[in-house]
């Protein structure tokens, strides 16, 4: 059974710091991996999607990497800003799963000015 | 393009009642998935509909059901509500299948 773990559960950093969020999954048979952002009481915003054949994706100050063999992904946020404060969720899409994403519990990030 | 919309945004019900939630996907998207989010269990997949057919189902009791209409709009229904059904219900649409899923703002259901 696929399980997704995100460590740490919470993280507080000062503005301007570079940071890394971690995601691990137990079964490497995935079609893709997505990182989402969720603001309190809101829906999810897709940040980056990495196909299983890819190693990384970049969007602005965000860079996500994928190492299927070790079951790990990282989300790198450069020069953090208070507006980056949110919960970041990692989700994997197993093969033959249709659209049934399996989510981690998330990392809640707080960036102080 | 308009995003995924969900109605209502907030709902309060009592135990034993039933509830229907609605989701309108992004124009052109034919796949709609539903998820339940609770503090304890996190986000869990409920079911997916594609072209009016349920294509995949998560591990939830039969009290949770859904349907999809010819215009791709989807509804989910929960019958005989329990306190534990209090959650944020999110729907997501995607096209083509297995690409990025776009989530709506959710419906927050409180069961008293």
């Amino acid at each position: 059974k696929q399980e997704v773990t995100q460590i740490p559960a919470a993280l507080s950093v000062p503005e301007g710091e570079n940071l890394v969020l971690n995601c691990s999954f137990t079964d490497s048979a995935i079609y893709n991996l997505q990182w989402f952002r969720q603001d309190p009481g809101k829906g999810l915003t897709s940040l980056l999607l990495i196909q299983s054949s890819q190693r990384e994706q970049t969007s602005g100050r965000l860079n996500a990497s994928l190492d299927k063999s070790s079951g790990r992904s990282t989300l790198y946020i450069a020069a953090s800003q208070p507006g980056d404060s949110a919960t970041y969720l990692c989700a994997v899409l197993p093969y033959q799963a249709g659209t049934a994403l399996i989510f981690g519990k998330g990392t809640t990030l707080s960036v102080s000015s | 393009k308009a995003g995924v919309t969900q109605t209502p945004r907030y709902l309060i019900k009592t135990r034993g009642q039933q509830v229907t939630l609605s989701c309108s996907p992004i124009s052109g998207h034919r796949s709609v998935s539903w998820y339940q989010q609770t503090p304890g269990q996190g986000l869990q997949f409920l079911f997916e509909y594609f072209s009016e057919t349920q294509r995949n189902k998560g591990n939830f009791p039969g009290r949770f059901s859904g349907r999809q209409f010819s215009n791709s709009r989807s509804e989910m229904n929960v019958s005989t509500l329990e306190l534990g059904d209090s959650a944020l219900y999110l729907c997501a649409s995607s096209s083509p299948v297995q690409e990025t899923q776009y989530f709506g703002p959710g419906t927050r259901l409180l069961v008293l």
Side-chain angles (χ1 to χ4, degrees):
Chain A
K1 179 189 168 189
Q2 176 75 267
E3 292 184 359
V4 179
T5 303
Q6 292 186 247
I7 296 173
L11 183 63
S12 292
V13 300
E15 182 178 6
E17 191 161 301
N18 301 326
L19 59 102
V20 174
L21 306 181
N22 296 294
C23 171
S24 61
F25 46 96
T26 55
D27 189 339
S28 62
I30 62 170
Y31 189 82
N32 64 42
L33 181 146
Q34 280 188 253
W35 283 92
F36 293 90
R37 168 186 172 139
Q38 185 174 32
D39 292 286
K42 303 287 181 63
L44 277 61
T45 300
S46 179
L47 297 173
L48 290 164
L49 181 149
I50 310 177
Q51 300 289 359
S52 62
S53 58
Q54 298 174 322
R55 293 300 297 249
E56 65 178 331
Q57 282 285 342
T58 298
S59 176
R61 294 182 294 107
L62 305 179
N63 175 276
S65 69
L66 174 63
D67 184 343
K68 264 183 43 174
S69 60
S70 67
R72 294 177 190 273
S73 176
T74 61
L75 179 67
Y76 175 82
I77 303 176
S80 58
Q81 303 170 357
D84 295 330
S85 298
T87 295
Y88 291 82
L89 293 153
C90 166
V92 300
L93 183 63
Y95 284 116
Q96 308 300 325
T99 59
L101 291 168
I102 299 175
F103 284 85
K105 294 286 181 69
T107 294
T108 299
L109 173 65
S110 176
V111 182
S112 56
S113 56
Chain B
K1 256 186 183 178
V4 178
T5 58
Q6 293 187 244
T7 56
R9 294 293 311 280
Y10 304 93
L11 210 46
I12 300 175
K13 293 286 187 179
T14 57
R15 278 183 301 173
Q17 288 187 310
Q18 74 165 14
V19 67
T20 299
L21 312 181
S22 180
C23 172
S24 293
I26 291 172
S27 178
H29 286 190
R30 294 165 63 191
S31 171
V32 174
S33 301
W34 288 89
Y35 293 83
Q36 180 195 65
Q37 185 176 31
T38 60
Q41 298 299 317
L43 270 152
Q44 293 182 286
F45 172 77
L46 280 157
F47 31 64
E48 178 212 353
Y49 284 87
F50 182 83
S51 293
E52 303 178 62
T53 301
Q54 186 181 88
R55 192 158 62 172
N56 203 354
K57 189 177 190 306
N59 189 25
F60 278 82
R63 299 186 297 107
F64 291 82
S65 62
R67 59 177 176 168
Q68 186 179 35
F69 302 94
S70 58
N71 63 357
S72 293
R73 188 177 71 86
S74 178
E75 290 181 345
M76 69 163 279
N77 184 77
V78 187
S79 62
T80 319
L81 284 165
E82 300 178 358
L83 295 179
D85 297 333
S86 295
L88 180 66
Y89 290 89
L90 295 161
C91 82
S93 72
S94 62
S95 182
V97 176
Q98 295 184 319
E99 295 297 332
T100 301
Q101 293 190 39
Y102 297 91
F103 282 77
T107 294
R108 185 163 296 280
L109 171 65
L110 177 62
V111 182
L112 302 176

